[in-house]
Amino acid sequence: MARKGPKFYAVRVGRKPGVYDTWDETEKLVAGFRGAVRKLINSDAAFDDDSYQKSRPDPTPPAPAAASTPSPAPPPAKRAKLNPAPAVQQAPTTTSKNSNNDIAVVYTDGAAPGNGKAHAQAGIGVWFGANDPRNISARLPGPVQTNQRAELTAILYALEAFPLTTSVEIRTDSQYSIDCVTRWYLGWVENGWRSSKGEPVKNDDIIKPIRARIDSRDAAGASTRFTKVAGHSGEPGNDQADLLAVAGAQLPAVS
C-alpha cells in the first residue's frame, strides 16, 4: 500500500481496494472496473461506506465471466397415447328419444367410381374397428349404382349388425344420408313418400328400412345417433370406411 499523505485516494471497490497517494495509481485500479468506488480523502481518518462516490460507468464492457457447466436438461416427458378420434366433427343429430351413456361407434361410407354414368360401380364400407370381423366391404346390390344409395345402404348394414337394445352412434361424411333419415322423412311420410314436387322419393327403398330399424330401436330403449364427420380429412375411422367402400366397388355385381 502506498504511504498516506495529507491528500490521498481511497479505493473501496476496484481491482485492489486500498489507499493511494496519486491519482495515477488509483485510476489504474478503477478504470474499466464496473461498479468501482473511490474517493479523494484529505486525511487518513476513517470513513463510512456512504462517503464513497461511485465512479462513472466505463463504456468498455467487462470481460465475460467464465462459463459454468450447464446442468443436464431433464429428459422430455413421455407423450400419452391417444385413442383415435375424429379430426373434424360436428354436433351429432340424435334421432332417438332415449339416451344411453354406453354407445357403440361405427363408421360408414359409400363409393361409386363413375358416379352418375352408365358404367358406375358402387361399394359399401362399414368399419367397426381395426381387425374387427364385422367390418364390411361389399358391392352395392341392384342395377342402380350411385354414391347416395351406397351411403344409405352402409348405414342400414351398420344398424342391422347391432341388437335393437344396443345404443349406436353412426359417423358418416354424408349429410344427405343424415338428413334423409332424421329430417326429410317426416315430410315424405305426410306426403305419401312423395317429394315437394309430387315425385316419388329417390332411394325410399333404403330409407324406409333404416327408419323402421330406428323406430324398433327406440321402442327397445336404445338410442341411435348420427354424427357428420369431414370426408377425406385424415380422420382414421372415416378413412378406413372409405377404403372398404372403394374395395367393395371393385367386386362383382350383385343382383
Side-chain angles (χ1 to χ4, degrees):
M1 182 182 294
R3 65 177 176 82
K4 303 178 180 65
K7 179 184 292 188
F8 56 91
Y9 299 89
V11 177
R12 175 67 176 84
V13 179
R15 292 183 177 83
K16 187 177 181 182
V19 180
Y20 300 88
D21 58 3
T22 68
W23 169 247
D24 290 339
E25 291 178 288
T26 306
E27 184 179 23
K28 293 177 182 178
L29 301 173
V30 297
F33 193 96
R34 186 174 297 275
V37 180
R38 49 78 180 158
K39 186 176 182 181
L40 174 64
I41 305 297
N42 290 325
S43 69
D44 58 355
F47 47 87
D48 55 33
D49 289 344
D50 291 339
S51 67
Y52 289 108
Q53 175 184 350
K54 289 186 178 179
S55 62
R56 182 173 300 174
D58 191 274
T60 304
S68 59
T69 302
S71 300
K78 293 183 179 179
R79 293 185 178 180
K81 293 183 179 180
L82 301 178
N83 293 326
V88 180
Q89 180 175 325
Q90 298 180 358
T93 301
T94 302
T95 63
S96 172
K97 296 180 181 179
N98 301 295
S99 177
N100 193 326
N101 291 330
D102 297 326
I103 188 165
V105 176
V106 60
Y107 291 82
T108 64
D109 203 359
N115 189 49
K117 298 180 180 179
H119 64 274
Q121 295 182 190
I124 298 159
V126 183
W127 193 74
F128 297 86
N131 302 317
D132 193 309
R134 296 173 297 174
N135 291 343
I136 298 173
S137 178
R139 179 72 182 267
L140 175 68
V144 183
Q145 299 283 295
T146 66
N147 185 66
Q148 290 180 343
R149 289 184 65 83
E151 296 273 11
L152 286 166
T153 303
I155 291 174
L156 178 60
Y157 284 6
L159 290 176
E160 290 177 342
F162 290 99
L164 295 178
T165 54
T166 300
S167 293
V168 175
E169 178 184 352
I170 293 179
R171 297 180 181 178
T172 172
D173 59 16
S174 173
Q175 188 64 54
Y176 164 81
S177 297
I178 294 175
D179 288 339
C180 281
V181 300
T182 64
R183 296 173 52 204
W184 298 339
Y185 83 95
L186 294 170
W188 295 334
V189 170
E190 292 182 357
N191 293 337
W193 287 95
R194 290 189 173 275
S195 69
S196 58
K197 297 180 180 179
E199 300 173 350
V201 173
K202 291 183 179 180
N203 306 319
D204 65 335
D205 58 319
I206 311 174
I207 298 170
K208 289 177 180 178
I210 292 175
R211 278 308 318 174
R213 189 75 180 179
I214 293 174
D215 291 342
S216 296
R217 295 168 54 77
D218 283 347
S223 65
T224 307
R225 180 182 303 171
F226 293 88
T227 299
K228 171 70 167 62
V229 297
H232 308 288
S233 63
E235 196 283 314
N238 178 258
D239 285 351
Q240 293 299 321
D242 178 67
L243 290 174
L244 293 171
V246 172
Q250 307 307 315
L251 296 176
V254 179
S255 59

